[in-house]
Amino acid sequence: QVQLVESGGGLVQPGGSLRLSCVTSGRTFDNYVMGWFRQAPGKEREFVVAIDRRGARTYYVDSVKGRFTVSRVNAKNTVYLQMNSLKPEDTAVYYCAARGNGYNLATIPSFYDYWGQGTQVTVSS
């Protein structure tokens, strides 16, 4: 069984930064494509970014390009999401997810096999 645990969320002012972390356990971390999703109240879960198994390829949703950066350290079983220039519309619960089958940087939640519990990010003055 794979477990994912996110951390690093919080309250930040517009224009500020946060760094989210997601630590996995249970199986070999570098077998998984990793993704970050977010869900705001009353909205569907939204794709944010995906990163391939080696960290060589990434794919971002347009709304975060140039502001968010995903990375992974396989030796630490950890994927990170550095979020800069945060906006109120970035407010959501952020989830990391692991995809064990396939190599594509999937943007659809159902393609991912394992999920963390989420961490709240609130951008407000």
Side-chain angles (χ1 to χ4, degrees), residues 6-106:
E6 303 99 333
S7 61
L11 173 64
V12 64
Q13 293 186 344
S17 298
L18 283 174
R19 187 194 197 200
L20 306 183
S21 299
C22 173
V23 180
T24 68
S25 62
R27 293 183 65 180
T28 306
F29 179 68
D30 57 6
N31 284 345
Y32 297 99
V33 169
M34 298 298 296
W36 285 97
F37 291 76
R38 63 187 180 185
Q39 189 166 18
K43 295 187 176 181
E44 293 187 354
R45 192 162 297 189
E46 175 191 29
F47 170 79
V48 177
V49 62
I51 185 168
D52 74 354
R53 299 178 183 195
R54 292 182 298 114
R57 293 186 301 126
T58 59
Y59 182 75
Y60 295 86
V61 68
D62 285 347
S63 60
V64 307
K65 284 181 181 177
R67 300 188 299 122
F68 290 12
T69 302
V70 67
S71 61
R72 65 190 293 166
V73 178
N74 287 348
K76 295 184 177 181
N77 290 358
T78 304
V79 61
Y80 302 97
L81 184 63
Q82 178 67 43
M83 305 186 295
N84 298 329
S85 301
L86 282 161
K87 305 175 181 180
E89 51 264 44
D90 295 317
T91 295
V93 177
Y94 283 70
Y95 299 89
C96 70
R99 183 184 185 201
N101 296 309
Y103 296 88
N104 292 337
L105 302 182

